[in-house]
Amino acid sequence: MKKYKCDVLVVGGGLGGVSAALKATSLGATVMMTEETGWIGGQLTTQAVSCLDEHPIIETFGGTANYYDMRNRVRQYYRTTYKLSEKAKNEKLFNPGASGKRICFEPKVGVKVLNDMVKRYITSGQLEIYYHTVANKVIRTSNLIKSVELLNTETNKRTLVSPKYVIDATELGDLLPLAHIPYRTGVESFAETREPSAPDQAIPMANQGFTFPFAVEWCPGENHTIPKPPLYNEIRKHYPFTFNGLKMFKKARFNSSFWEYRRIVAAENFNDPRIKRDISLINWISNDYHTETIIDQPKDTVDHHLYRAKQLSLSFLYWLQTEAPRDEGGYGYPELKLRPDIVGTSDGLSHYPYIRESRRIKSLSMIKEQDIVSNFNNGISRSRYLYDSVGLGTYLYIDIHPCSHTKERKGSGQTIRPFQLPMGALLTSEITNFIAGSKNIGTTHITNGTCRLHPIEWTIGEAAGCLAAYCIKHNKSPMDVYETKSLLKEYQLVLLKTGVPLFWYIDLPLEHENFIAVQYLTLEGILTPSANDLYFYPNKPLTDKELDHWIRANRRIRFSPNHLAHLKEKANHLNRGQFAQYLYTFLLEKKKL
């Protein structure tokens, strides 16, 4: 067995894993990352959900610099690889799929983009990626992971890695049972979380359904009907196939159709002989497999349900081709052509199932329903303030898909307030060198329904990668950072300087000259945000009341009369953003931050 050492071992090459590896390597750490399949990227690529689930203002605020870089690279790939239509050329926020999402693209393009993003660190020797590899065994002391045994599932070769820090970015939180870290699964009870929507009894086996998405091309006048899947008749008894109120091609609710909702290539966007037809991803409630969970089950049980989940997706395709009601009358759309090349597999289904719910660590702090749901945060524009913020999240609502072992989806559909991600949700008191880096953070079953989405998983990974690199550089533990205010603020400042927003001010994007100053002073409690909206209003003049609060915040910062006079004089000539910048610089120089 080969033995290696590294600064950070990232187990799992999904969105959280890739973003963690990018952040840690950019801050000087050496990283080894594993990936179960032959592609990195998780829900963006191997799970074929390349129609990004994002919040309405993502184009201007709420994502990290690296997340925006990924989205920009996708757009640039299509601009440079294909000849666009005149309309598409002029669209600043070009969406290759012209879909119901803000950006949709082919999974194979997503993996190319991510490979390009990590290439420089592989070339420099800072990053190694072990494909077709899983964690097989964890060796730990009472509170430290000493090493992790990796297994190549194609060759059966084993590798022993001794890292300084371990980030679990697997899709199902696989390191938690291996390292004997306490975790939760499924639905918690009211007694556990005090969430208003939680049931009286916990249902640990009630996990959200998973899905094998697939891509199909629209080929008018052609017949591409697949053979009838062996389990089709059985599956039809238990899974009602439907467009869920939509028409196939006619626009309806959301100003979209079933076809457009997750269209990844819109022929209208291209004037290129290589792209003549529309291509759409099928990831729908009809092919969500919720018969049984695959968490904490024997391998043969998992394999059985993975097979049936694939049969479900193929059966839904067959139904679309043969029985689905046509917009103009009649049944079946045989013109739908399965495109295995788009998702990179021989059977046309995603490499890996789209996982909505993971094991979740019993963390230092937990994100609960009452923290983020609008009904419990009346009169304010954001969720409750978190001093240990390591990133931001929001979505339209809590989205809980049908679950195994229960017919109820309690808490689903509730609107939420934009929220902060607490550092405590990434950590456990059990092990000092372990950090959660994906959907396995300390959410509940209910709040996982909004924390599992693309930009949030990416942000979680960045926070984890940054924390590991920071701890290595300063010879501190994550618990040291969490419990020591000066270290926490220093770590948060690294996040801000590397493009990770920590507070919701939507009129101060990452590139704004006052972004870091305003974000940091707000986290310090010096700046008081408006309760009515998500704006800072950097161009407005300061009121005397605001100025008095800013320079006397919490009575913690004490100024001499000369300092007070100087700051008040400055305030007469600067707007809110400029004065925040000046105050930030002034306090740093005076060592009051």
Side-chain angles (χ1 to χ4, degrees):
M1 187 187 302
K2 292 185 177 180
K3 298 180 180 180
Y4 295 93
K5 292 183 179 180
C6 64
D7 288 334
V8 183
L9 172 63
V10 179
V11 183
L15 273 190
V18 170
S19 64
L22 279 170
K23 183 64 78 177
T25 49
S26 71
L27 293 172
T30 59
V31 177
M32 294 177 64
M33 181 170 71
T34 68
E35 167 52 39
E36 286 190 54
T37 72
W39 282 8
I40 58 173
Q43 58 178 312
L44 191 78
T45 59
T46 59
Q47 298 174 34
V49 188
S50 53
C51 298
L52 307 188
D53 291 315
E54 301 170 323
H55 55 81
I57 54 175
I58 187 62
E59 297 291 358
T60 55
F61 191 78
T64 71
N66 282 345
Y67 185 76
Y68 286 125
D69 182 32
M70 178 271 291
R71 296 169 93 254
N72 291 336
R73 285 171 181 258
V74 167
R75 286 172 168 145
Q76 188 61 23
Y77 174 86
Y78 283 97
R79 291 184 187 280
T80 57
T81 304
Y82 300 102
K83 185 176 180 181
L84 302 187
S85 65
E86 289 302 315
K87 177 178 178 294
K89 284 180 184 178
N90 297 322
E91 290 181 348
K92 181 181 178 181
L93 304 179
F94 169 57
N95 182 353
S99 63
K101 303 287 185 176
R102 286 159 189 82
I103 183 168
C104 286
F105 49 92
E106 300 158 276
K108 65 179 183 180
V109 172
V111 75
K112 176 175 175 52
V113 163
L114 294 179
N115 282 333
D116 286 345
M117 292 178 74
V118 301
K119 183 178 179 180
R120 60 179 289 196
Y121 300 109
I122 294 174
T123 302
S124 71
Q126 278 185 268
L127 174 63
E128 291 183 86
I129 303 177
Y130 287 68
Y131 290 99
H132 304 289
T133 298
V134 298
N136 188 56
K137 184 179 179 182
V138 172
I139 301 169
R140 58 169 282 192
T141 61
S142 59
N143 65 346
L144 189 73
I145 292 179
K146 300 290 289 184
S147 57
V148 179
E149 182 185 284
L150 306 178
L151 173 67
N152 184 300
T153 55
E154 291 190 327
T155 65
N156 284 325
K157 289 184 178 179
R158 287 170 167 77
T159 302
L160 193 67
V161 180
S162 298
K164 294 176 182 176
Y165 284 89
V166 178
I167 296 174
D168 182 357
T170 58
E171 300 301 327
L172 293 169
D174 293 337
L175 254 64
L176 301 181
L178 289 175
H180 302 288
I181 297 173
Y183 61 90
R184 294 183 176 90
T185 64
V187 177
E188 295 95 346
S189 68
F190 176 79
E192 290 178 275
T193 67
R194 314 305 291 182
E195 292 175 303
S197 299
D200 292 335
Q201 298 294 325
I203 315 173
M205 300 286 281
N207 293 286
Q208 286 194 68
F210 58 90
T211 310
F212 279 99
F214 54 91
V216 285
E217 179 181 3
W218 176 243
C219 303
E222 299 178 11
N223 187 333
H224 294 281
T225 305
I226 64 170
K228 186 176 180 179
L231 299 185
Y232 182 76
N233 291 338
E234 177 187 344
I235 285 171
R236 289 293 287 119
K237 295 177 182 178
H238 304 286
Y239 284 85
F241 292 154
T242 176
F243 291 144
N244 199 26
L246 298 182
K247 297 290 186 180
M248 182 61 150
F249 294 108
K250 292 180 179 179
K251 290 186 177 181
R253 60 179 182 152
F254 312 128
N255 194 31
S256 184
S257 66
F258 175 82
W259 180 254
E260 290 174 323
Y261 185 57
R262 285 196 172 92
R263 182 171 55 187
I264 55 176
V265 173
E268 66 190 57
N269 276 335
F270 300 90
N271 187 17
D272 193 296
R274 292 169 292 177
I275 297 182
K276 297 179 179 180
R277 297 163 171 168
D278 281 7
I279 301 172
S280 190
L281 277 178
I282 309 303
N283 169 31
W284 197 244
I285 196 168
S286 291
N287 58 326
D288 284 356
Y289 185 83
H290 48 82
T291 300
E292 183 58 85
T293 180
I294 54 173
I295 295 177
D296 293 337
Q297 300 277 26
K299 185 180 183 305
D300 58 347
T301 301
V302 172
D303 291 344
H304 171 75
H305 289 291
L306 291 177
Y307 169 76
R308 293 180 69 86
K310 288 189 172 186
Q311 282 286 300
L312 173 62
S313 283
L314 292 172
S315 293
F316 185 48
L317 171 58
Y318 184 76
W319 178 84
L320 290 171
Q321 293 172 325
T322 61
E323 296 184 46
R326 294 183 69 102
D327 292 348
E328 69 276 20
Y331 297 91
Y333 289 91
E335 301 96 329
L336 296 176
K337 179 183 179 181
L338 188 63
R339 288 291 304 271
D341 58 306
I342 298 294
V343 298
T345 62
S346 58
D347 62 7
L349 304 178
S350 59
H351 290 259
Y352 195 90
Y354 172 35
I355 300 296
R356 296 183 177 87
E357 189 167 356
S358 169
R359 300 176 181 91
R360 304 180 295 277
I361 62 169
K362 291 186 177 180
S363 53
L364 301 181
S365 61
M366 183 188 294
I367 304 170
K368 300 180 182 180
E369 175 188 20
Q370 55 269 41
D371 296 332
I372 67 174
V373 168
S374 300
N375 287 343
F376 310 114
N377 292 274
N378 289 323
I380 58 174
S381 55
R382 305 169 180 83
S383 297
R384 68 183 181 91
Y385 165 78
L386 298 177
Y387 75 94
D388 63 334
S389 173
V390 295
L392 302 180
T394 193
Y395 192 52
L396 298 173
Y397 54 89
I398 289 179
D399 184 15
I400 301 176
H401 282 233
C403 302
S404 55
H405 295 271
T406 181
K407 293 182 179 179
E408 295 183 320
R409 289 185 278 168
K410 288 193 172 184
S412 186
Q414 299 180 94
T415 59
I416 62 171
R417 299 281 191 232
F419 59 90
Q420 298 166 292
L421 293 165
M423 177 185 177
L426 279 63
L427 303 178
T428 172
S429 60
E430 289 287 312
I431 298 182
T432 58
N433 65 339
F434 173 89
I435 307 170
S438 187
K439 294 183 286 286
N440 57 348
I441 65 168
T443 65
T444 66
H445 170 78
I446 293 173
T447 57
N448 169 73
T450 195
C451 291
R452 62 179 173 79
L453 306 171
H454 297 78
I456 304 178
E457 183 184 349
W458 184 283
T459 299
I460 292 167
E462 284 210 51
C466 183
L467 179 58
Y470 176 86
C471 289
I472 291 167
K473 181 178 180 180
H474 297 279
N475 194 28
K476 301 293 182 182
S477 72
M479 193 64 72
D480 292 333
V481 178
Y482 182 70
E483 294 179 339
T484 309
K485 184 174 181 180
S486 61
L487 296 179
L488 173 62
K489 295 305 177 186
E490 197 171 73
Y491 161 55
Q492 289 175 318
L493 189 56
V494 176
L495 286 169
L496 290 172
K497 287 181 176 180
T498 56
V500 181
L502 305 179
F503 195 83
W504 281 97
Y505 283 130
I506 63 176
D507 57 347
L508 284 172
L510 301 179
E511 62 273 15
H512 196 283
E513 61 183 352
N514 307 136
F515 166 75
I516 292 175
V518 173
Q519 289 266 324
Y520 191 80
L521 291 179
T522 300
L523 290 173
E524 279 280 301
I526 295 172
L527 303 189
T528 305
S530 167
N532 301 319
D533 56 40
L534 300 175
Y535 295 89
F536 178 73
Y537 301 105
N539 298 322
K540 280 189 173 183
L542 273 174
T543 66
D544 291 340
K545 182 178 179 181
E546 287 174 329
L547 175 61
D548 186 62
H549 176 78
W550 287 19
I551 61 180
R552 298 178 185 273
N554 303 323
R555 297 181 180 179
R556 181 177 58 81
I557 299 174
R558 297 183 179 182
F559 297 100
S560 69
N562 288 339
H563 284 156
L564 289 174
H566 172 72
L567 290 171
K568 288 181 178 180
E569 174 61 25
K570 274 291 181 182
N572 292 329
H573 306 286
L574 302 175
N575 60 31
R576 287 168 56 88
Q578 291 168 338
F579 186 76
Q581 186 69 47
Y582 183 83
L583 182 60
Y584 168 73
T585 304
F586 180 87
L587 293 174
L588 284 178
E589 289 176 352
K590 301 300 180 183
K591 297 183 179 180
K592 292 181 180 293
L593 289 180

